[in-house]
Amino acid sequence: MRILLVLIGLAACLVASANTPVRADEAELRAVIAKFADVKKFSDTEAVIDEIAALGDPAAAPALNALSDGTLMIVEADNSVVIVRETNADVKLFDPLTMEPIGTAQENELRKVKIKNSIRRLIADAVSGLTLRAKDPAVRMEAAETMFSRPDASMIETLDEVIANEQDPSVRTAFREARAAAVLQSDLPEAEKIDAIAVLKARGGRDVLPILTVAMNSSDSEAVKAAATDAVNHVEQNLKIWAAGQNLWYGLSLGSVLLLAAIGLAITFGVMGVINMAHGEMVMLGAYTTFVVQEIMRNSAPGLLDWSLVVALPLAFLVAGTVGFALERGVIRFLYGRPLETLLATWGVSLVLQQAVRSIFGPTNREVSNPSWMSGAFELGEMTLTWNRLCIVIFAIAVFAMLLWAFNYTSLGLRMRAVTQNRRMAASMGIRTPWVDALTFALGSGIAGIAGVALSQIDNVSPNLGQSYIIDSFMVVVFGGVGNLWGTLVGALSLGIVNKFLEPYAGAVLGKILVLVFIILFIQKRPRGLFALKGRAVDA
């Protein structure tokens, strides 16, 4: 029993001795942070920051970040250091280490610790050093990236220690890359610098080029210069490949927009042979429908704003489809077989619709916000892909697939194909071609309306929105083949990609001119486009 009591006592002593340094470290860190209350000059502030960095305790990071943000303040009453958060009534005070609330104060009872830009840079370096050992891998990764962007030869030993203890493979790689950048700023042997260049070469990317370029131009070692030159050439070659991939993505994105704008026109032009100059205004009506839906939701149900596009899609289809149906029944059906009069009539209707929108909503651009799930971007290698563009590409493919299914497996689709291939034969078989025309025009206009919903996420919503796409839509339809969905798809994607690859060399305007010249020359050889329709009436 006596031996058991002795063992328990020894264990208690060990626990106490193990806990004592933690309390002492916290007390020491608090004492150093408290020195901010006594600083008189910028050099005093820098000395305190250096002292905190020397302790190497990640718990000091909130206090240093608050100092950089201007929220680390001194309470005049007791000269204590606190982090503040302003509210409407007063200022809330928080502990600089634990971030626990400790009370409130008035602004005139507080004094700010003054800093300058050079101190902010010193703080960023200190925080990076402290966060190297943080528990959260994301924090350590951010610290590694910060150290990579600001290489410091004095941190090499610290990085060696951190790399040896790091368990996360991706974070360890980031630390090695930060060390490689620091090695090229140091006076370490030639072999280590060549190894560092190899690490940076494997990383690639635009951010390594400045570091490698400095090593290439300033090193006294021919071997280091040669290695750096080879690495720069390798990285630049990879960047050219990624730039081509980025242009390809931009082309696909533009092509999907052109597909949405043109596919409804391809249907109406193919079935009815009508040159609808008001097609762009159907796109505009869809965009303004989205604006109205968002305004109603923003004022009555702001929590549902992320679902505004889901609500706007069927409404935009109905609004544009109804206007298209009325246009066909009220104007176009009296002008069949007279293409010039149809063109002039639909152009007049487009002007009327534009002026009506100006009178109702005003001539200025209207804001249509992106839902949270369509906001932001992500990196794919050296490419930047925005979520709204990716969603539009997927949406365009979905619309194309649904139309393809409707054309092949629905009664209306089969009738539309019959009328497209041979109108007289279809009429003689009992198909009511006037109603097929009306429903086709309504369908094409409705699709233009949902195209306007998509375009509202990437373009300005204004009365002139449709005019930006009507000419490109006609080029897509003529190039791909009138009335052919596959031709519209290939034509839209082809013109989008070619436009984006020409723009860096010829500019946006000259690039469009070159595309137009190409289409003119192309239709001289293939007047019916890439995918010509088959049928007795078509072939006649």
Side-chain angles (χ1 to χ4, degrees), residues 244-473:
Q246 186 77 67
N247 280 335
L248 179 62
W249 165 250
Y250 288 149
L252 290 174
S253 176
L254 175 60
S256 66
V257 170
L258 293 178
L259 176 63
L260 285 173
I263 197 166
L265 186 64
I267 294 171
T268 55
F269 197 14
V271 173
M272 304 163 62
V274 172
I275 302 174
N276 179 20
M277 294 300 292
H279 184 77
E281 278 55 53
M282 304 303 168
V283 176
M284 174 197 69
L285 290 177
Y288 273 99
T289 301
T290 309
F291 166 72
V292 171
V293 168
Q294 283 202 352
E295 284 299 300
I296 293 173
M297 284 191 165
R298 188 177 284 113
N299 295 326
S300 58
L304 299 177
L305 196 59
D306 276 352
W307 297 94
S308 59
L309 296 190
V310 178
V311 177
L313 280 172
L315 290 178
F317 183 87
L318 289 175
V319 169
T322 302
V323 172
F325 185 85
L327 176 60
E328 196 280 335
R329 290 285 86 188
V331 178
I332 294 175
R333 73 186 177 111
F334 301 109
L335 300 174
Y336 285 131
R338 297 151 65 185
L340 181 59
E341 287 88 340
T342 305
L343 186 150
L344 292 174
T346 54
W347 180 58
V349 170
S350 74
L351 296 179
V352 171
L353 290 174
Q354 286 183 43
Q355 191 56 47
V357 167
R358 285 192 183 94
S359 301
I360 297 171
F361 299 101
T364 57
N365 296 341
R366 291 295 183 171
E367 179 188 359
V368 175
S369 59
N370 287 350
S372 60
W373 48 272
M374 283 182 68
S375 302
F378 63 97
E379 300 289 331
L380 180 63
E382 294 298 319
M383 294 168 52
T384 301
L385 309 181
T386 56
W387 285 110
N388 58 354
R389 292 275 182 178
L390 180 61
C391 289
I392 288 174
V393 170
I394 296 172
F395 178 67
I397 295 171
V399 170
F400 176 81
M402 286 189 292
L403 280 176
L404 202 62
W405 173 82
F407 260 55
N408 289 286
Y409 298 103
T410 66
S411 176
L412 176 61
L414 294 175
R415 284 170 168 76
M416 288 168 59
R417 289 166 58 199
V419 172
T420 301
Q421 293 178 13
N422 194 319
R423 176 177 290 270
R424 290 183 180 179
M425 182 63 72
S428 67
M429 296 296 293
I431 295 176
R432 300 175 65 186
T433 56
W435 281 105
V436 171
D437 290 337
L439 293 176
T440 300
F441 204 88
L443 176 63
S445 299
I447 294 168
I450 63 177
V453 177
L455 292 177
S456 71
Q457 301 300 297
I458 60 174
D459 207 341
N460 296 322
V461 177
S462 70
N464 299 321
L465 172 65
Q467 296 299 306
S468 305
Y469 296 96
I470 185 66
I471 302 300
D472 287 336
S473 298

Side-chain angles (χ1 to χ4, degrees), residues 32-33 35-37 39 41-42 44-50 52-53 60-74 81-85 96 99 111-124 126-127:
V32 175
I33 292 175
K35 293 181 180 180
F36 282 121
V39 297
K41 300 177 294 184
F42 287 136
D44 297 336
T45 304
E46 291 172 353
V48 176
I49 294 171
D50 290 337
I52 292 174
L64 291 176
N65 287 326
L67 176 61
S68 180
D69 298 339
T71 56
L72 189 76
M73 294 192 178
I74 313 301
V81 179
V82 295
I83 294 175
V84 303
R85 296 286 185 270
M99 290 302 295
R111 170 168 51 89
K112 183 181 290 188
V113 182
K114 296 180 180 180
I115 60 173
K116 54 184 181 179
N117 286 336
S118 61
I119 293 180
R120 286 190 177 91
R121 289 192 290 270
L122 181 65
I123 292 170
V127 170

Side-chain angles (χ1 to χ4, degrees), residues 197-215:
I197 290 172
V199 172
L200 296 180
K201 178 181 176 181
R203 173 188 170 108
R206 293 178 182 85
D207 50 356
V208 306
L209 283 178
I211 302 171
L212 292 173
T213 303
V214 170

Side-chain angles (χ1 to χ4, degrees), residues 489-524:
L489 174 66
V490 174
L493 296 182
S494 300
L495 294 183
I497 292 171
V498 169
N499 260 312
K500 287 303 177 181
F501 272 94
L502 285 177
E503 279 182 8
Y505 306 101
V509 176
L510 184 57
K512 283 187 177 292
I513 293 173
L514 292 175
V515 170
L516 179 60
V517 170
F518 166 76
I519 291 177
I520 292 172
L521 295 175
F522 178 81
I523 61 177
Q524 297 299 313

Side-chain angles (χ1 to χ4, degrees), residues 184 196-198 200-201 204-205 207-218 224-225 227-233 235:
L184 293 182
I197 290 172
L200 296 180
K201 178 181 176 181
D207 50 356
V208 306
L209 283 178
I211 302 171
L212 292 173
T213 303
V214 170
M216 182 176 65
N217 295 329
S218 62
V224 171
K225 282 185 176 181
T229 303
D230 176 67
V232 167
N233 292 335
V235 172

Side-chain angles (χ1 to χ4, degrees), residues 48-104:
V48 176
I49 294 171
D50 290 337
E51 194 172 346
I52 292 174
L55 293 176
D57 192 338
L64 291 176
N65 287 326
L67 176 61
S68 180
D69 298 339
T71 56
L72 189 76
M73 294 192 178
I74 313 301
V75 180
E76 295 281 10
D78 57 3
N79 222 32
S80 60
V81 179
V82 295
I83 294 175
V84 303
R85 296 286 185 270
E86 292 187 9
T87 60
N88 294 331
D90 46 24
V91 179
K92 290 185 178 181
L93 309 182
F94 296 87
D95 186 277
L97 288 184
T98 63
M99 290 302 295
E100 294 178 357
I102 55 177
T104 60

